[in-house]
Amino acid sequence: MSEGVSQTIPLRLRLRFLRDRILVGLCVVALAAAVVPLVWVLWDVVSVGAAHLSVEFLTSLPEPPTRPGGGWAHAFLGSVVVVGSAILMGIPVGVGTGIYMSEYGNNLLGRSTRFLCEVMAGLPSIVAGIVAYGLIVVTMGRFSALSGAIALAVLFVPIVAITTQEALALVPRHQREGAFALGLGDASTTLRVVLPAAMGNVLTGIMLATARVAGETAPLLFTAFNSRFWMEGLDQPTATVPVNIYNYAISPFDHWHDQAWAGAFVLVSVVLVLNVAARTLWARRARFMAGG
Amino acid sequence: MMPERMQTKDLRVYFGKTEAVKGVDMEIRPGAVTAIIGPSGCGKTTFLRSLNRMHDNTRSARVTGHVYLGDRDIYNGGMNPVELRIRVGMVFQRPNPFPTMSIRENITFAPRRHGMRRRSDLQDLVEEVLRQAALWDEVKDRLDDPATGLSGGQQQRLCIARALAVRPKVLLMDEPASALDPTATQRIEELIFDLKAEYTIAIVTHNMQQAARVSDYTAFFYMGELIEFGETDVIFTNPKEAQTEAYITGRFG
């Protein structure tokens, strides 16, 4: 039967079928090359990291390297403060820039800003650290949580500006016209009609950008620097989770390596939760907009 | 509240180099319904949107000539667009209630921005305009529900109520029933008939039966020009221009 069928299909057509299969096969190989390492890394972090996670690790300060135990509570607090300050500074600037580009940016300034944001979004993160180092650390004469926050904000702003612009651009034009036709000015239209309609996607962009900067290490190495104690203020050196992972991972102590795994596990979990939350919100919002 | 008269003198609208409205002189009489008809692309919507300066937000658009509201020239420095649009309201082809607001907020949003703050005044206003728009009985028990939960026809009546809430003198309607089913269309037409005592109404429509049913005056546009203007009865029974006759008898367009 199959021989009979294959005899009726011309050779050229069979070659085409073969080519189709080869192409799909190559795509599957490429997919595997991309996904397998990711899953592998994730699995390593989860399996090894979770094994070394403990209440002590989450709630206490480090012990000297010669003693076992101790924890990273100061680094968790430090990361929350540094990332939190970065997004507090970055949200008004990023969202404001996005609003400008979307609503008033159909001009040279708007287009150049958009181009700049795209360039900045691809900025090697260590460069953001150098900027904050030059501006803040050198001026203040010491490492500080503030300089770390500014370095992260430099990375955060362009991502939020771009996602905000795109979120606002999704709001249909007839919504704006509806507001204009009622005699509302630019400010009311933008802040009370357009921005609320796009809020879900704006928040999603903020969460994704937060997840991105939360894991940054390079910009913090010579800005927030490090510390082995609770943070003493925004103007003092501060431990953060990514920098701690780096320092512990390159140390010669086995139990420090274990703690680096546990820290990585916590960081990956937080980033994962932020990402999933952001994407769920996005999907729900998209359905809402389609229905409305 | 007195409805006001609008008038255009040598009104031209350009998009880039294309002239979409080519020197129209026309009157929109107070307290009457003026229908604007013509085939697709004839400039009727462009003309309507120039009456409340909706082209201001389109970068490529340019408007020349004069448009008068009463005796004030709305272009050429006579009035700013915000002030104008409070007097000249607009209802769009697709119902566009604000999706993040309730039925009540859709109505009170603009009046509050314009300075009406007292709760009782706003409450009275909501009921008044919803009654005017023949929507009150259908929504009075769910004023705080999202406006997007209404049917298309109800949404469009809400948009009319929302436009009335800023107390305009003139109401511009851009094919307000073209996205609606026949029953909803009939309700909108009845509503237009009820509103004309208090408002000057200009309505763009594709539907000639609709123009004949609701309007007192009819303007026929073709290729960006006003071909003929007159009382609706005359235009539909005894047009002067051959093009008008050809269009209303269905020979083109």
Side-chain angles (χ1 to χ4, degrees):
Chain A
M1 174 77 189
S2 69
E3 206 173 293
V5 169
S6 70
Q7 272 170 359
T8 61
I9 300 176
L11 183 62
R12 267 180 51 196
L13 205 51
R14 278 162 56 196
L15 277 176
R16 266 173 51 188
F17 289 157
L18 186 64
R19 252 185 26 193
D20 286 354
R21 284 210 192 138
I22 290 173
L23 182 66
V24 173
L26 286 176
C27 288
V28 170
V29 170
L31 179 78
V35 170
V36 167
L38 276 177
V39 174
W40 195 342
V41 167
L42 206 60
W43 173 246
D44 252 7
V45 170
V46 170
S47 60
V48 184
H52 296 289
L53 198 62
S54 65
V55 175
E56 187 190 7
F57 178 72
L58 294 172
T59 56
S60 55
L61 289 174
E63 295 288 339
T66 50
R67 262 191 274 163
W72 285 19
H74 65 312
F76 295 126
L77 178 70
S79 261
V80 168
V81 170
V82 171
V83 173
S85 314
I87 68 179
L88 281 182
M89 289 186 283
I91 286 172
V93 179
V95 172
T97 307
I99 289 174
Y100 179 84
M101 292 192 297
S102 164
E103 305 301 302
Y104 315 106
N106 192 7
N107 52 34
L108 188 64
L109 179 61
R111 282 188 293 270
S112 340
T113 309
R114 167 76 195 208
F115 178 72
L116 199 66
C117 282
E118 280 166 14
V119 173
M120 295 272 289
L123 189 77
S125 58
I126 198 157
V127 176
I130 295 169
V131 171
Y133 179 82
L135 284 178
I136 316 292
V137 178
V138 171
T139 316
M140 282 174 60
R142 66 164 168 265
F143 298 115
S144 63
L146 181 68
S147 60
I150 287 173
L152 295 188
V154 169
L155 296 168
F156 180 85
V157 163
I159 307 175
V160 171
I162 289 172
T163 51
T164 300
Q165 179 191 16
E166 281 167 6
L168 297 188
L170 284 178
V171 177
R173 185 189 158 96
H174 62 75
Q175 288 296 326
R176 294 178 179 78
E177 294 196 330
F180 287 139
L182 293 167
L184 294 160
D186 283 337
S188 303
T189 302
T190 301
L191 296 179
R192 298 186 180 262
V193 175
V194 181
L195 193 57
M199 195 49 93
N201 289 350
V202 171
L203 286 177
T204 305
I206 289 172
M207 278 198 236
L208 290 176
T210 305
R212 155 89 201 277
V213 301
E216 282 295 346
T217 316
L220 299 176
L221 283 172
F222 41 87
T223 52
F225 195 61
N226 207 344
S227 156
R228 299 185 47 75
F229 309 101
W230 291 110
M231 69 177 296
E232 285 165 11
L234 280 176
D235 60 342
Q236 296 294 328
T238 301
T240 55
V241 179
V243 173
N244 247 23
I245 294 172
Y246 172 74
N247 286 328
Y248 276 57
I250 61 169
S251 77
F253 314 112
D254 277 342
H255 67 285
W256 275 29
H257 297 167
D258 295 343
Q259 293 197 338
W261 281 108
F265 173 67
V266 172
L267 185 60
V268 166
S269 305
V270 169
V271 169
L272 204 66
V273 166
L274 271 177
N275 263 292
V276 170
R279 282 168 209 283
T280 312
L281 196 67
W282 196 314
R284 266 187 41 203
R285 198 69 192 181
R287 272 207 305 278
F288 171 80
M289 291 295 283
Chain B
M1 189 169 18
M2 283 290 292
E4 270 197 271
R5 166 176 177 272
M6 291 196 86
Q7 192 168 21
T8 70
K9 285 241 164 70
D10 194 32
L11 179 70
R12 292 169 195 274
V13 184
Y14 302 86
F15 293 107
K17 293 216 182 327
T18 317
E19 191 175 16
V21 172
K22 302 173 181 169
V24 170
D25 297 290
M26 188 174 136
E27 187 187 1
I28 294 164
R29 300 199 185 168
V33 178
T34 302
I36 301 166
I37 61 170
S40 295
C42 71
K44 55 192 191 299
T45 291
T46 303
F47 173 79
L48 192 79
R49 288 165 62 90
S50 63
L51 301 181
N52 70 341
R53 295 184 57 170
M54 288 307 276
H55 298 306
D56 284 20
N57 299 301
T58 309
R59 270 178 81 81
S60 64
R62 192 162 59 84
V63 179
T64 68
H66 304 272
V67 177
Y68 296 97
L69 173 65
D71 53 8
R72 289 171 72 181
D73 188 342
I74 67 167
Y75 292 96
N76 312 304
M79 204 181 271
N80 80 32
V82 168
E83 191 190 357
L84 168 68
R85 290 173 193 148
I86 292 172
R87 292 184 168 80
V88 181
M90 185 167 222
V91 176
F92 297 83
Q93 185 170 0
R94 273 185 56 195
N96 59 349
F98 301 125
T100 56
M101 297 183 201
S102 68
I103 295 167
R104 185 199 308 277
E105 287 163 341
N106 260 278
I107 294 168
T108 59
F109 174 51
R112 286 166 66 135
R113 300 282 104 205
H114 299 321
M116 188 187 254
R117 285 292 148 85
R118 277 183 45 193
R119 193 178 257 283
S120 60
D121 290 349
L122 289 165
Q123 217 137 24
D124 293 346
L125 178 72
V126 168
E127 178 167 351
E128 182 196 328
V129 296
L130 283 174
R131 282 190 191 283
Q132 273 188 300
L135 190 59
W136 174 251
D137 291 332
E138 290 159 61
V139 301
K140 65 181 177 210
D141 300 322
R142 47 173 171 150
L143 291 174
D144 295 309
D145 289 1
T148 44
L150 299 173
S151 72
Q154 290 173 325
Q155 287 187 18
Q156 191 63 305
R157 277 179 282 147
L158 175 62
C159 290
I160 293 172
R162 182 175 80 178
L164 299 179
V166 292
R167 312 270 187 215
K169 311 276 187 194
V170 180
L171 201 55
L172 307 176
M173 304 177 112
D174 184 6
E175 303 191 41
S178 67
L180 306 179
D181 66 49
T183 317
T185 300
Q186 193 189 342
R187 305 217 48 177
I188 301 283
E189 288 181 9
E190 288 164 3
L191 180 55
I192 292 169
F193 192 83
D194 292 339
L195 291 175
K196 74 175 178 188
E198 289 180 68
Y199 301 92
T200 303
I201 297 175
I203 175 173
V204 162
T205 177
H206 255 115
N207 179 330
M208 277 177 287
Q209 287 76 29
Q210 184 172 71
R213 282 192 298 262
V214 302
S215 70
D216 304 296
Y217 300 94
T218 295
F220 172 62
F221 275 61
Y222 185 59
M223 307 270 284
E225 288 178 53
L226 174 60
I227 304 296
E228 188 166 354
F229 176 87
E231 288 181 27
T232 298
D233 295 346
V234 177
I235 296 277
F236 278 92
T237 54
N238 192 14
K240 286 199 236 3
E241 303 292 331
Q243 280 168 320
T244 314
E245 185 176 0
Y247 181 69
I248 61 174
T249 54
R251 267 185 279 145
F252 82 101

